[in-house]
Amino acid sequence: KLKLIEKNFSDLKHNCSFYVLVEHNTNIIDDLERVHYLRMKGIPSYIMPYQKIYNKQSEPIRHKHTKSLERYCNIRRFYFKYLNYWEFLKEEYSLNYYLKILAEYNKLKGEINE
Protein backbone atom coordinates (compact mmCIF):
# COMPACT_ATOMS: atom_id res chain seq x y z
CA LYS A 1 0.00 0.00 0.00
CA LEU A 2 2.96 2.29 0.55
CA LYS A 3 3.89 1.82 -3.11
CA LEU A 4 0.45 3.17 -4.02
CA ILE A 5 1.13 6.27 -1.94
CA GLU A 6 4.53 6.72 -3.53
CA LYS A 7 3.13 6.36 -7.04
CA ASN A 8 0.04 8.55 -6.69
CA PHE A 9 0.75 11.09 -3.96
CA SER A 10 4.45 11.93 -4.20
CA ASP A 11 3.81 15.39 -5.67
CA LEU A 12 1.13 16.40 -3.14
CA LYS A 13 3.51 16.90 -0.18
CA HIS A 14 1.89 19.17 2.42
CA ASN A 15 -1.39 19.53 0.50
CA CYS A 16 -2.80 16.36 2.03
CA SER A 17 -2.40 14.12 5.04
CA PHE A 18 -3.05 10.45 5.67
CA TYR A 19 -4.83 8.75 8.52
CA VAL A 20 -2.64 6.21 10.29
CA LEU A 21 -4.67 3.62 12.17
CA VAL A 22 -2.93 2.53 15.37
CA GLU A 23 -3.75 0.01 18.11
CA HIS A 24 -5.26 -2.53 15.74
CA ASN A 25 -2.72 -5.31 15.27
CA THR A 26 0.12 -2.79 15.34
CA ASN A 27 2.94 -1.98 17.71
CA ILE A 28 5.27 0.98 18.18
CA ILE A 29 7.61 -0.20 15.42
CA ASP A 30 4.76 -0.50 12.90
CA ASP A 31 3.31 2.87 13.89
CA LEU A 32 6.62 4.74 13.75
CA GLU A 33 7.59 3.10 10.47
CA ARG A 34 4.42 4.35 8.78
CA VAL A 35 4.68 7.84 10.29
CA HIS A 36 8.36 8.05 9.36
CA TYR A 37 7.70 6.82 5.80
CA LEU A 38 5.02 9.45 5.23
CA ARG A 39 7.20 12.14 6.78
CA MET A 40 10.12 11.28 4.47
CA LYS A 41 7.71 11.66 1.55
CA GLY A 42 6.65 15.08 2.86
CA ILE A 43 3.15 13.88 3.69
CA PRO A 44 1.81 14.65 7.19
CA SER A 45 0.08 11.83 9.04
CA TYR A 46 -2.93 11.99 11.31
CA ILE A 47 -3.01 9.37 14.06
CA MET A 48 -6.33 7.63 14.50
CA PRO A 49 -6.50 5.13 17.39
CA TYR A 50 -8.62 2.06 16.71
CA GLN A 51 -11.98 2.02 18.47
CA LYS A 52 -14.25 -0.93 18.85
CA ILE A 53 -17.66 -0.20 17.31
CA TYR A 54 -19.33 -3.59 17.00
CA ASN A 55 -19.47 -6.41 19.54
CA LYS A 56 -17.70 -8.84 17.19
CA GLN A 57 -14.68 -6.57 16.82
CA SER A 58 -11.65 -7.15 18.96
CA GLU A 59 -10.80 -4.81 21.79
CA PRO A 60 -8.05 -2.32 20.96
CA ILE A 61 -4.63 -3.02 22.42
CA ARG A 62 -3.69 0.17 24.21
CA HIS A 63 -0.03 1.15 23.87
CA LYS A 64 1.93 3.58 26.02
CA HIS A 65 3.17 5.49 23.00
CA THR A 66 -0.19 6.18 21.34
CA LYS A 67 -1.10 9.43 23.11
CA SER A 68 2.30 11.02 22.56
CA LEU A 69 2.47 9.86 18.93
CA GLU A 70 -1.03 11.23 18.42
CA ARG A 71 0.04 14.55 19.93
CA TYR A 72 3.21 14.65 17.80
CA CYS A 73 1.41 14.00 14.51
CA ASN A 74 -1.96 15.63 15.04
CA ILE A 75 -0.70 18.95 16.38
CA ARG A 76 1.04 20.32 13.32
CA ARG A 77 3.29 22.77 15.15
CA PHE A 78 4.98 19.79 16.83
CA TYR A 79 5.09 17.73 13.64
CA PHE A 80 6.94 20.43 11.72
CA LYS A 81 9.06 21.67 14.64
CA TYR A 82 10.74 18.33 15.44
CA LEU A 83 12.59 16.15 12.96
CA ASN A 84 11.25 12.93 14.45
CA TYR A 85 9.15 11.44 17.21
CA TRP A 86 12.15 10.74 19.46
CA GLU A 87 13.30 14.36 19.36
CA PHE A 88 9.74 15.42 20.20
CA LEU A 89 9.64 13.06 23.20
CA LYS A 90 12.97 14.32 24.54
CA GLU A 91 11.83 17.94 24.41
CA GLU A 92 8.16 17.74 25.34
CA TYR A 93 7.99 14.89 27.87
CA SER A 94 9.77 13.88 31.05
CA LEU A 95 12.80 11.64 30.97
CA ASN A 96 10.80 8.97 32.77
CA TYR A 97 8.11 8.92 30.05
CA TYR A 98 10.76 8.93 27.31
CA LEU A 99 12.44 5.92 28.90
CA LYS A 100 9.12 4.04 29.14
CA ILE A 101 8.48 4.56 25.44
CA LEU A 102 12.06 3.60 24.61
CA ALA A 103 11.64 0.41 26.67
CA GLU A 104 8.43 -0.40 24.77
CA TYR A 105 10.33 0.06 21.53
CA ASN A 106 13.42 -1.90 22.60
CA LYS A 107 11.27 -4.74 23.90
CA LEU A 108 10.32 -5.40 20.28
CA LYS A 109 14.01 -5.25 19.30
CA GLY A 110 13.66 -2.21 17.08
CA GLU A 111 16.36 0.14 16.03
CA ILE A 112 16.08 3.89 16.37
CA ASN A 113 17.09 5.79 13.25
CA GLU A 114 18.07 9.22 14.50
Side-chain angles (χ1 to χ4, degrees):
K1 293 178 182 157
L2 296 177
K3 300 269 187 218
L4 178 69
I5 292 170
E6 197 168 292
K7 180 180 176 186
N8 296 308
F9 295 98
S10 61
D11 60 332
L12 293 177
K13 302 281 182 187
H14 299 289
N15 295 329
C16 71
S17 63
F18 281 84
Y19 287 100
V20 176
L21 181 65
V22 299
E23 298 187 338
H24 187 259
N25 299 326
T26 66
N27 58 46
I28 188 170
I29 294 172
D30 300 329
D31 299 340
L32 290 178
E33 182 179 283
R34 290 181 287 155
V35 167
H36 179 72
Y37 176 84
L38 290 169
R39 185 175 180 91
M40 292 300 104
K41 297 296 179 187
I43 301 171
S45 51
Y46 184 87
I47 300 299
M48 185 175 67
Y50 172 75
Q51 295 179 7
K52 179 180 175 179
I53 299 173
Y54 303 108
N55 287 337
K56 292 183 180 180
Q57 290 178 298
S58 61
E59 288 291 331
I61 299 168
R62 298 294 175 215
H63 300 295
K64 292 176 188 163
H65 72 276
T66 300
K67 284 291 182 189
S68 57
L69 183 61
E70 188 175 8
R71 187 172 178 227
Y72 168 65
C73 292
N74 297 0
I75 299 176
R76 292 294 181 233
R77 75 173 187 269
F78 292 139
Y79 189 77
F80 293 113
K81 179 179 179 181
Y82 298 105
L83 296 176
N84 59 50
Y85 173 69
W86 298 106
E87 182 181 308
F88 164 74
L89 279 181
K90 286 179 189 175
E91 293 294 321
E92 299 292 331
Y93 286 85
S94 69
L95 178 60
N96 188 38
Y97 184 82
Y98 174 80
L99 293 175
K100 284 180 184 178
I101 301 303
L102 187 59
E104 180 182 344
Y105 187 86
N106 286 334
K107 184 178 176 183
L108 297 170
K109 300 185 186 329
E111 294 179 12
I112 301 171
N113 297 317
E114 291 194 43

